[in-house]
Amino acid sequence: MKNSNSVVLVDDHELVRAGICTLLHTVDSIEVIGECGDGLEAIAMVKRLQPKLLVLDISIKSLSGMEVVKLISNQSIPVKILILSMHNNVEYVAKCLKHGAHGYLLKDAAVDELEPAIRNVLQGHSYISKEIDISLLDQLLSTNQSATSLLDLLTNRQKQILQLIAEGYSTRQIADAIYVSIKTVETHRAHIMARLQIFDVAGLVRFALQEKLIH
């Protein structure tokens, strides 16, 4: 009989994944039944193994953690999702929860925070890392703001730069086109990647296609 507290772990850094697995093995009644570091593989693994909980890093290969959450939610796959992230951007946390995540745990949280995070999510409750501003998060979650697009996290200038990046323009070409310095473009690009949690150009292109910024 399958363990009711079965877990699939997704993180594209093998050492980090191994460390989390080691911690999970010390938690009573928790069983890690699968692990990988790729978004597409994660979705296939969840469908095949049917775990109770998906512990999901945001920054992974092929699909971002956010894209995985959206696909799982859209396909009504019955699994609880605990997000792992280095970033404590409250707007991003709100997006994850609105898209279907059940908890958000910062990677630099104390080790003893992992077990209660998992227990709470498995029991049907939410769990947010202690360093996240809960009052601001509650305000964001209580609004009627649509959760359909991460573009809401970007300024108009950042959307413009994202579109140009996705269309294949170089940093210098973008700077010349919008009359700013190369350093300004690089700063905007870093902010775009941090807000979307997408850290490669191919991922930005996929996102721009998905959001119909380019065709």
Side-chain angles (χ1 to χ4, degrees):
M1 180 178 177
K2 184 176 69 174
N3 189 326
S4 61
N5 290 337
S6 54
V7 174
V8 162
L9 172 63
V10 182
D11 191 301
D12 66 346
H13 292 90
E14 289 191 24
L15 285 176
V16 173
R17 201 163 71 229
I20 296 173
C21 272
T22 299
L23 288 173
L24 290 175
H25 286 314
T26 67
V27 179
D28 185 49
S29 80
I30 298 295
E31 179 186 4
V32 179
I33 61 173
E35 57 176 284
C36 67
D38 178 280
L40 288 173
E41 186 180 352
I43 293 173
M45 188 174 288
V46 167
K47 289 180 177 179
R48 185 176 73 254
L49 300 178
Q50 299 180 11
K52 184 73 173 179
L53 176 67
L54 174 63
V55 179
L56 177 67
D57 185 15
I58 282 293
S59 305
I60 52 178
K61 300 173 184 175
S62 77
L63 294 175
S64 71
M66 178 66 78
E67 291 171 306
V68 172
V69 171
K70 289 169 66 176
L71 285 169
I72 286 176
S73 179
N74 290 341
Q75 296 177 33
S76 299
I77 300 172
V79 63
K80 302 290 186 184
I81 302 174
L82 174 63
I83 295 292
L84 292 177
S85 177
M86 287 294 296
H87 302 277
N88 61 1
N89 181 304
V90 179
E91 287 122 341
Y92 196 83
V93 178
K95 285 291 182 183
C96 287
L97 297 178
K98 284 186 175 183
H99 278 304
H102 303 87
Y104 195 100
L105 181 66
L106 294 175
K107 282 191 171 182
D108 60 359
V111 171
D112 60 6
E113 201 174 338
L114 179 62
E115 182 174 351
I118 288 174
R119 296 288 187 202
N120 272 273
V121 172
L122 282 171
Q123 291 168 11
H125 308 300
S126 62
Y127 187 92
I128 307 299
S129 269
K130 298 172 183 177
E131 294 182 20
I132 303 294
D133 187 336
I134 296 297
S135 60
L136 178 56
L137 179 61
D138 286 341
Q139 290 178 29
L140 292 172
L141 291 175
S142 65
T143 67
N144 293 321
Q145 180 182 3
S146 171
T148 59
S149 176
L150 284 176
L151 281 175
D152 296 338
L153 296 181
L154 304 182
T155 65
N156 289 333
R157 175 64 94 188
Q158 288 169 345
K159 292 175 187 176
Q160 179 186 32
I161 291 174
L162 171 61
Q163 180 178 347
L164 292 171
I165 291 172
E167 288 175 348
Y169 286 82
S170 69
T171 300
R172 179 173 291 280
Q173 287 173 324
I174 295 172
D176 291 343
I178 62 176
Y179 304 105
V180 299
S181 69
I182 289 176
K183 184 176 181 180
T184 297
V185 174
E186 290 174 342
T187 299
H188 277 304
R189 181 172 59 187
H191 289 163
I192 290 166
M193 289 181 167
R195 291 190 176 189
L196 299 179
Q197 292 290 281
I198 300 172
F199 297 100
D200 58 83
V201 172
L204 292 178
V205 172
R206 285 196 303 272
F207 177 81
L209 284 168
Q210 174 186 315
E211 298 297 331
K212 297 182 173 54
L213 279 178
I214 60 173
H215 301 282

